[in-house]
Amino acid sequence: MEQKLIAVVAAALGVPTSGLELETTADEVEAWDSMGHINVISEIEAEFGVSIPIEKIADIHRIRDFLPYLGEKA
Amino acid sequence: MKFALLSNVNIESVARRVGRHQPYLAQGYGAWTQELADPASAMWSFGPSAVFLIVDGAELLRGQQGLDSALGEIEGHLAWIDGASERSPGIKFFVSTVDVPAQAPRALKHGHLERRLEQHWQAGIFRVSANRANVYVFDLKALVEDVGRAQFYSNKRWYLGGLRFSLTGEKLIAKELERILYAQIVARKKCLLLDLDNTLWGGIIGEDGLEGIQLSESGEGARYKDFQRCIRRLGEMGVILGIVSKNNQGDVFEVFENHEHMVLKKEDFAILKIDWSPKAQSIAEVAQDLDIGLDSLVFIDDNPVERESVHSALPEVTVPEFPADTCELSAFLEQIYKDCFFTLESTEEDRKRTEAYLSNAKRAAERSATVSIDEFLAALRTKISLGKLRDDDVPRAAQLTQKTNQFNLTTRRYTEQQVQAFRTTPGMAVFIASVADKYGDNGKVFLGIVRKLSADTAELDTFLMSCRVMGRFIEDQILDQLVKELRADGISKLRVHLIPSKKNAPARGFIERLSGGRLLSNDASGTMTWEFDIAQTSPVSRSPYAELLTR
């Protein structure tokens, strides 16, 4: 599941998976700007079939922070 | 290619999805009309050759009070677009239609405001497009309709970052943008080649006959008629149409002339390759005859083996997957249009192109291209399983004699009882074979009935094969094997009969491939008999390629 998460984030940002790990933060990836952040959230919602509440989105800074929202479908 | 992307909403996320070339961007309320209206704006100095206007309907009408004020707003925008396109005739403008979702709850009696505004905008841009050669309609509304608003928009993205469209919506817009951009820089395909049986109609004309094929105005056969209508439309848009089919010409021409639901006429086709030669060879000839590149050809065939043969021998030819569900034929052709033949406009010249190519093709001398059919056949991993007829094969064997018309040397029809009797008659042998390949099992498709006439002579009473596996020289390999078995049985002479019928030209072609035959008789009814000396040699000269199992 963690590998899939990294792959989905990479695809959303248009960057290779090799540069990403669970601890990677948005600040470390140039493409992960505010628009990139929205695209990451949309891709994760679509790929994992989940919904991340808008209230929680400001608290997400690194890839690991998505894990609690992936649910059982992943 | 330099292009500008203007929108009344944030469009940058869409722009990131469009190819390698980053456009000039102007986005947000007011920004885009200002760029258009001001001849000194940065967009014009960027020097785009195309300008896209992606107009979000909700944003366009935000804050408008009442119908009259909204209509006035729309008229104002249309005037800016018209003025800008008039000043810059060398730039192509692609202006979107709008989709206006309901903005707030409203009583039924007052519920049609959004529809009226939408219609006013669409009518306005179609009017501008009709008046100005450099203005085209980008049908955003159609993209919304294809997937529905729930899929096309995303409230979360809107509230988070002012992104109106969902991922799905953005990808659809980006794809349409790319298609339009590429249509201006990449040459489209020129020629669409079509199979006939189970492609332009349902069923097999050589087996099912004029009355038996599926093709009608309504009901099940209508899916083929609708498909033909779409194909004819492509022809009218300047796509050259051709037929590449393994069939008897006479059968096909009868359909063209006598089937009331044939939308496509013989004259619609610049190319008619209707014979029994390998399709890759026919297609290579088409490219020569029309004097166009193989990469300008698109080939549609329902048979995966034929597609594979063409793809492996002529990789430049585009060979789309055929839809598994033939109800989707029209949608399939729409996709082929978008992928291969998409065009911004079809000119009178385009429409006349088919006629020009038709005469080219007529002038072209008979040339034949050699294509490695052997490599293709080897790649199919064909397995033939040949054996004496078993009890439970009898119904299938009788059915094969009843239904097989094309590859059938004698076209003798037998009942189950007759077949059963042959099995047990001394001096007779009945063989059946199944054929499998990498695409799957074709089932029992071959039947041969051999009759011993004397100690050293036998005849083929029946030698037939289903059209499903025709054109793959399976019959050659089976005859070669039968000859070996007969020789081991002391037979040195084999008589082969051909009873010509309206349908069995493929069987004649097979006999013409055999070598060493001596014509024994050619009676008044047309039946011909050859005798082959099989004591030392085989009449089959083709070397075997399939794996042959005997039981």
Side-chain angles (χ1 to χ4, degrees):
Chain A
M1 180 168 78
E2 294 171 359
Q3 286 312 307
K4 183 180 174 188
L5 173 61
I6 289 173
V8 170
V9 172
L13 296 174
V15 299
T17 50
S18 56
L20 302 180
E21 51 187 59
L22 279 182
E23 302 309 326
T24 304
T25 66
D27 294 343
E28 297 167 44
V29 184
E30 198 188 339
W32 197 342
D33 54 13
S34 58
M35 188 180 299
H37 196 54
I38 298 172
N39 283 335
V40 168
I41 288 162
S42 299
E43 284 282 6
I44 287 173
E45 289 189 337
E47 286 295 322
F48 290 91
V50 296
S51 177
I52 301 172
I54 192 166
E55 296 83 357
K56 305 288 186 189
I57 285 169
D59 299 332
I60 293 172
H61 304 291
R62 61 187 69 225
I63 294 179
R64 174 181 294 286
D65 296 341
F66 286 108
L67 284 176
Y69 301 103
L70 301 189
E72 291 178 359
K73 290 182 184 174
Chain B
M1 173 169 194
K2 279 184 167 182
F3 69 101
L5 189 51
L6 312 184
S7 178
N8 57 348
V9 290
N10 187 333
I11 199 83
E12 191 179 342
S13 180
V14 174
R16 287 185 187 181
R17 300 181 192 277
V18 182
R20 296 174 301 278
H21 310 284
Q22 278 310 303
Y24 178 85
L25 278 181
Q27 48 194 357
Y29 193 79
W32 63 292
T33 41
Q34 195 184 331
E35 294 278 356
L36 275 184
D38 178 5
S41 73
M43 183 188 78
W44 303 110
S45 48
F46 174 76
S49 54
V51 175
F52 291 86
L53 300 173
I54 306 297
V55 182
D56 178 63
E59 192 63 12
L60 179 70
L61 301 168
R62 192 154 63 98
Q64 293 301 318
Q65 301 294 325
L67 182 62
D68 288 341
S69 121
L71 292 176
E73 177 80 4
I74 288 173
E75 286 302 327
H77 285 301
L78 291 171
W80 293 126
I81 293 166
D82 191 51
S85 58
E86 185 182 17
R87 278 200 312 279
S88 306
I91 299 178
K92 289 186 163 75
F93 291 79
F94 300 90
V95 186
S96 82
T97 51
V98 296
D99 174 57
V100 189
Q103 303 301 299
R106 202 176 288 125
L108 185 60
K109 191 75 178 169
H110 310 287
H112 304 301
L113 182 67
E114 288 84 7
R115 275 285 176 271
R116 291 191 56 182
L117 296 174
E118 252 180 23
Q119 285 164 6
H120 196 72
W121 175 273
Q122 331 294 33
I125 60 161
F126 278 107
R127 196 173 60 235
V128 174
S129 173
N131 288 337
R132 307 238 175 261
N134 58 331
V135 177
Y136 302 79
V137 174
F138 180 101
D139 203 350
L140 182 70
K141 173 83 176 167
L143 300 181
V144 179
E145 286 167 343
D146 282 348
V147 295
R149 285 176 180 151
Q151 292 293 316
F152 199 82
Y153 298 110
S154 163
N155 289 329
K156 185 171 284 175
R157 292 167 67 82
W158 174 248
Y159 291 123
L160 273 175
L163 303 181
R164 178 66 86 194
F165 312 113
S166 70
L167 286 182
T168 303
E170 288 194 347
K171 286 172 185 169
L172 287 170
I173 296 171
K175 199 169 173 193
E176 191 68 17
L177 282 169
E178 283 190 328
R179 181 175 297 137
I180 292 173
L181 288 169
Y182 285 138
Q184 296 171 71
I185 51 179
V186 178
R188 63 175 181 152
K189 309 287 182 195
K190 295 194 176 77
C191 176
L192 179 65
L193 299 172
L194 297 145
D195 174 45
L196 293 174
D197 291 328
N198 285 317
T199 299
L200 287 195
W201 53 71
I204 294 162
I205 185 63
E207 299 290 335
D208 302 324
L210 189 65
E211 306 300 320
I213 58 173
Q214 279 193 348
L215 182 65
S216 51
E217 180 60 33
S218 58
E220 292 179 25
R223 63 199 198 279
Y224 292 101
K225 191 166 183 181
D226 289 340
F227 185 49
Q228 290 198 15
R229 288 192 177 102
C230 295
I231 292 167
R232 186 176 63 183
R233 183 75 198 109
L234 275 191
E236 289 165 358
M237 290 167 66
V239 174
I240 308 162
L241 303 179
I243 288 172
V244 175
S245 168
K246 289 180 180 168
N247 251 314
N248 291 325
Q249 284 212 357
D251 290 346
V252 172
F253 291 164
E254 193 189 358
V255 179
F256 274 123
E257 280 148 31
N258 296 330
H259 202 296
E260 60 169 329
H261 294 295
M262 278 299 286
V263 174
L264 293 163
K265 304 294 174 199
K266 213 162 110 182
E267 307 77 63
D268 293 325
F269 295 95
I271 290 288
L272 296 168
K273 293 278 183 194
I274 304 165
D275 52 35
W276 299 95
S277 44
K279 292 200 176 183
Q281 183 185 320
S282 298
I283 291 173
E285 289 167 10
V286 168
Q288 287 194 349
D289 291 352
L290 295 177
D291 198 20
I292 59 178
L294 286 166
D295 59 0
S296 292
L297 302 174
V298 179
F299 172 58
I300 295 181
D301 197 310
D302 65 295
N303 182 334
V305 174
E306 296 291 3
R307 291 200 301 272
E308 175 73 18
S309 81
V310 171
H311 178 69
S312 63
L314 308 170
E316 304 94 323
V317 176
T318 301
V319 186
E321 277 298 298
F322 196 78
D325 178 354
T326 47
C327 293
E328 302 307 322
L329 277 172
S330 294
F332 167 64
L333 198 79
E334 175 73 19
Q335 194 58 47
I336 288 176
Y337 163 68
K338 287 181 172 172
D339 293 343
C340 302
F341 299 108
F342 182 78
T343 180
L344 296 186
E345 49 221 311
S346 56
T347 61
E348 189 62 26
E349 198 178 323
D350 278 336
R351 285 191 286 274
K352 288 196 170 150
R353 194 161 61 168
T354 300
E355 291 168 35
Y357 277 111
L358 182 58
S359 48
N360 268 355
K362 277 181 180 157
R363 278 195 300 271
E366 283 291 318
R367 282 169 294 195
S368 89
T370 42
V371 162
S372 171
I373 184 81
D374 295 311
E375 276 175 42
F376 150 66
L377 290 173
L380 281 177
R381 301 201 299 273
T382 305
K383 281 188 186 144
I384 304 169
S385 173
L386 175 70
K388 291 263 176 70
L389 200 72
R390 293 174 180 154
D391 198 39
D392 58 2
D393 292 329
V394 168
R396 174 61 179 160
Q399 186 188 40
L400 279 169
T401 70
Q402 295 292 339
K403 289 180 74 173
T404 308
N405 296 321
Q406 299 188 95
F407 190 90
N408 196 337
L409 264 58
T410 53
T411 322
R412 290 176 177 146
R413 314 294 194 191
Y414 294 124
T415 63
E416 290 186 27
Q417 289 75 16
Q418 287 173 301
V419 172
Q420 190 63 268
F422 292 150
R423 274 184 73 220
T424 48
T425 302
M428 287 192 76
V430 184
F431 294 88
I432 196 162
S434 59
V435 172
D437 54 46
K438 67 176 179 177
Y439 297 102
D441 191 349
N442 294 290
K444 296 182 178 107
V445 289
F446 166 85
L447 189 78
I449 302 175
V450 182
R451 180 183 289 110
K452 219 169 166 177
L453 298 173
S454 66
D456 66 348
T457 306
E459 67 167 354
L460 292 181
D461 174 273
T462 293
F463 194 84
L464 66 80
M465 196 179 64
S466 157
C467 55
R468 269 185 269 174
V469 292
M470 262 181 350
R472 292 161 59 175
F473 304 106
I474 287 166
E475 60 275 28
D476 297 60
Q477 200 164 339
I478 288 178
L479 181 63
D480 194 49
Q481 179 63 29
L482 290 183
V483 161
K484 283 180 194 156
E485 297 197 7
L486 290 170
R487 190 185 296 145
D489 220 21
I491 300 292
S492 59
K493 296 192 194 79
L494 178 66
R495 290 188 186 169
V496 177
H497 311 287
L498 177 71
I499 304 178
S501 74
K502 273 165 76 178
K503 310 265 188 204
N504 73 347
R508 178 185 289 265
F510 169 65
I511 293 208
E512 286 166 1
R513 283 208 294 283
L514 301 178
S515 54
R518 187 167 59 90
L519 188 63
L520 278 190
S521 66
N522 187 353
D523 71 26
S525 68
T527 302
M528 288 175 277
T529 301
W530 291 264
E531 188 171 275
F532 294 86
D533 183 347
I534 59 169
Q536 309 286 335
T537 55
S538 168
V540 177
S541 46
R542 258 197 99 78
S543 37
Y545 74 92
E547 186 183 341
L548 195 143
L549 312 161
T550 53
R551 62 162 205 238

